Amino acid sequence: MRRLSAIREEHLVYRIEPVLKPYEWGSKDRLQTMFPHGRAAHVTGPLAEVWFSGHPVWPSVVDGGPAGSSTVDQLIRDDPTSMLGEFDSSRFGPVLPFLLKVISARRPLSLQVHPVSFRAREGFNRENRAGIASDSPSRAYRDRVEKNEMVVALDPFELSVGFAGMGVTRSVLARVRHPVAAAMLRCVEEADESPGYDGVGDDDVGDDDAMAWLSHGARARRRALGIAVTSPPRCAAGLYDALRKALAGADDGRGAAMLRHALVAADAFPGDCSPLALLLMNAVSLDRGQGMYVPAGTLHTYIGGTAVEIMTNSDTVLRAGLTVKPRHVDEALRVVDYEGDGGVRLLSFSGETPGLSVHGRAVAGAMSPGIEEFMLSWCSLPDSIGVRVGEGAGEESYVELDRGRVRVVLCVSGGVRCETTAGSLLLNPGEAALAPAVERVRVFPVPNDGDCAILMASPAI
């Protein structure tokens, strides 16, 4: 594929280099194909995540930034008002409030949860007082901020997220002829599904006072989850076959989807009982362009597929299972919201595009979970060469980004030209730019072999 080059060297839109994460669960070719220019294309093993990041530990390198500002986080610290805008620099401080990733999973990720605000602060400060190094494997809390995230499918994408209703959970567990599933089922069957609270704690609920006020149904989930993620490896004997037989006898529907996800996880992690935790959770399938908001406190795992992920600028992950990485099971059990689906929401791109305007035959949409740290916009820019007479020939198609918000612009397909008053920057597929809040930026398609598409990440507008 032909590589474009910058028209002018002096510009106020900065190309940023991706941070590559070659985790074992990653795809062996999807991201390499999606990012054909740069280091990603040369990764021969699994490539799981590509970050466009202002995180202080894993920041993206800035290509052509001002002297002394070699990374995104440093560029923002040096001039937060110009980079973020006056409003966002005052509410977030001199930091990029979001982290943008493209992920591709050929096998399930870890069963995990992210902390709400007070949990994140308490855990971060506790580990600092204990002298645990920020890069230590035993470190659970790497950042002090609440971590919410939104995932948007680029290909069909499967995930297990939040807790399913007690009825379907009871039915699915009853199908699995396995001792650990039977123990989990007893927890569910003993639950009083009334909405009342009794305020009486149990030893197995944990040492946090707030856990004593869980509803009976939430306590049942907590006990059942604890059994799944703390049972020793020897207890996983026969689990795959038990799940396979249960799925073979299940009617197609929610329960079958839950069993399929658990079976995939059991195949990927033999000797681990935590795939049974997926029988407590909603099994979700996202089509291309659909999104899901996963708020802090929500238990989740991604089963497979390729997606864009945008989140609060935090790298705190509390893993309870389905991983070869260090687990923080007790901490994860303490942080999970057991009272339901945790505010999980299915999202789609709307026709409203705050902070940008479209021209010609450009089409755009936006997706926002309603929190202040992030939103995602999408734009399709038709290649003017391919426009037939009567379909808008001669009209220039572009999208204009208003001043006042920082953005990360990711070229997904084709090629685009980002123009400011200072010059232009051309982006190839898979390349990204940081557009400062001080600049009004216009993004044009570059004549190529088809339409161009971009994703834009920004704070909520």
Side-chain angles (χ1 to χ4, degrees):
M1 181 180 293
R2 178 172 57 95
R3 180 181 178 91
L4 305 170
S5 58
I7 295 175
R8 291 173 57 177
E9 291 297 321
E10 182 183 1
H11 51 75
L12 285 177
V13 176
Y14 305 106
R15 189 189 312 277
I16 58 176
E17 297 297 326
V19 178
L20 307 183
K21 297 291 185 175
Y23 302 140
E24 195 278 335
W25 53 261
S27 172
K28 295 183 178 181
D29 55 12
R30 182 64 176 93
L31 295 184
Q32 291 88 331
T33 302
M34 187 176 175
F35 296 88
H37 306 287
R39 294 181 297 118
H42 303 290
V43 175
T44 56
L47 181 57
E49 299 179 351
V50 175
W51 294 19
F52 299 97
S53 166
H55 192 275
V57 178
W58 300 103
S60 290
V61 172
V62 177
D63 182 11
S69 299
S70 59
T71 59
V72 168
D73 59 325
Q74 183 64 56
L75 186 66
I76 291 173
R77 285 198 303 270
D78 288 347
D79 191 358
T81 301
S82 295
M83 294 302 302
L84 300 177
E86 185 173 351
F87 179 68
D88 285 340
S89 64
S90 65
R91 64 174 171 166
F92 299 124
V95 295
L96 193 67
F98 60 85
L99 174 59
L100 180 67
K101 303 180 183 180
V102 181
I103 66 173
S104 188
R106 62 183 174 85
R107 58 183 291 178
L109 282 67
S110 58
L111 180 68
Q112 60 185 254
V113 64
H114 308 308
V116 297
S117 182
F118 82 93
R119 296 280 194 197
R121 292 194 303 271
E122 186 273 333
F124 183 86
N125 292 333
R126 170 167 34 93
E127 292 185 336
N128 277 355
R129 289 194 300 271
I132 302 175
S134 60
D135 58 351
S136 169
S138 62
R139 179 99 189 189
Y141 292 88
R142 299 186 182 277
D143 295 282
R144 67 176 78 235
V145 298
E146 177 172 298
K147 185 175 180 181
N148 305 289
E149 63 189 32
M150 181 173 71
V151 60
V152 183
L154 295 176
D155 298 334
F157 192 80
E158 302 281 330
L159 65 157
S160 293
V161 58
F163 287 104
M166 296 295 279
V168 67
T169 295
R170 184 183 298 109
S171 175
V172 171
L173 284 172
R175 288 185 173 275
V176 182
R177 305 302 183 189
H178 189 273
V180 178
M184 295 169 65
L185 178 61
R186 285 194 294 273
C187 295
V188 173
E189 289 179 333
E190 292 168 2
D192 176 4
E193 295 188 59
S194 70
Y197 293 74
D198 62 12
V200 179
D202 294 300
D203 290 340
D204 64 345
V205 167
D207 59 0
D208 187 80
D209 289 341
M211 301 295 281
W213 296 94
L214 289 174
S215 67
H216 293 295
R219 288 184 189 213
R221 293 186 180 109
R222 193 304 183 184
R223 294 189 187 102
L225 177 62
I227 290 170
V229 300
T230 61
S231 294
R234 68 177 184 276
C235 293
L239 178 57
Y240 179 86
D241 286 339
L243 289 167
R244 180 178 54 81
K245 291 175 182 177
L247 179 58
D251 296 330
D252 195 25
R254 289 183 63 194
M258 294 159 70
L259 286 164
R260 276 195 295 270
H261 284 190
L263 185 64
V264 170
D267 183 49
F269 294 95
D272 191 344
C273 289
S274 58
L276 284 169
L278 277 59
L279 302 184
L280 306 173
M281 302 164 66
N282 297 296
V284 177
S285 298
L286 297 179
D287 293 328
R288 178 180 171 88
Q290 286 186 308
M292 171 119 344
Y293 176 52
V294 183
T298 303
L299 186 68
H300 63 284
T301 181
Y302 297 153
I303 304 300
T306 303
V308 172
E309 197 178 22
I310 186 169
M311 62 195 66
T312 317
N313 194 357
S314 169
D315 193 31
T316 295
V317 180
L318 303 176
R319 299 178 181 89
L322 306 182
T323 184
V324 297
K325 294 181 178 181
R327 304 184 186 193
H328 301 94
V329 175
D330 290 343
E331 199 68 28
L333 291 173
R334 198 163 71 101
V335 165
V336 169
D337 178 0
Y338 296 99
E339 294 292 353
D341 61 12
V344 172
R345 298 196 303 278
L346 187 66
L347 302 171
S348 59
F349 283 103
S350 71
E352 298 180 2
T353 54
L356 59 89
S357 57
V358 295
H359 302 266
R361 297 179 67 248
V363 179
M367 186 182 294
S368 173
I371 63 173
E372 62 182 2
E373 287 87 357
F374 59 78
M375 62 177 289
L376 199 63
S377 300
W378 157 86
C379 185
S380 176
L381 297 163
D383 182 355
S384 59
I385 292 179
V387 177
R388 296 193 299 270
V389 175
E391 293 186 348
E395 296 182 24
E396 193 166 30
S397 298
Y398 65 94
V399 59
E400 184 168 334
L401 315 183
D402 295 342
R403 294 186 180 94
R405 291 287 187 276
V406 65
R407 292 175 178 85
V408 173
V409 179
L410 172 62
C411 180
V412 178
S413 63
V416 296
R417 183 177 79 253
C418 301
E419 287 195 354
T420 70
T421 55
S424 298
L425 180 71
L426 295 180
L427 297 178
N428 296 280
E431 293 182 331
L434 185 71
V438 72
E439 279 294 320
R440 185 182 299 275
V441 181
R442 292 182 175 183
V443 183
F444 297 86
V446 172
N448 210 327
D449 297 328
D451 292 347
C452 308
I454 57 173
L455 285 167
M456 294 162 285
S458 72
I461 297 175

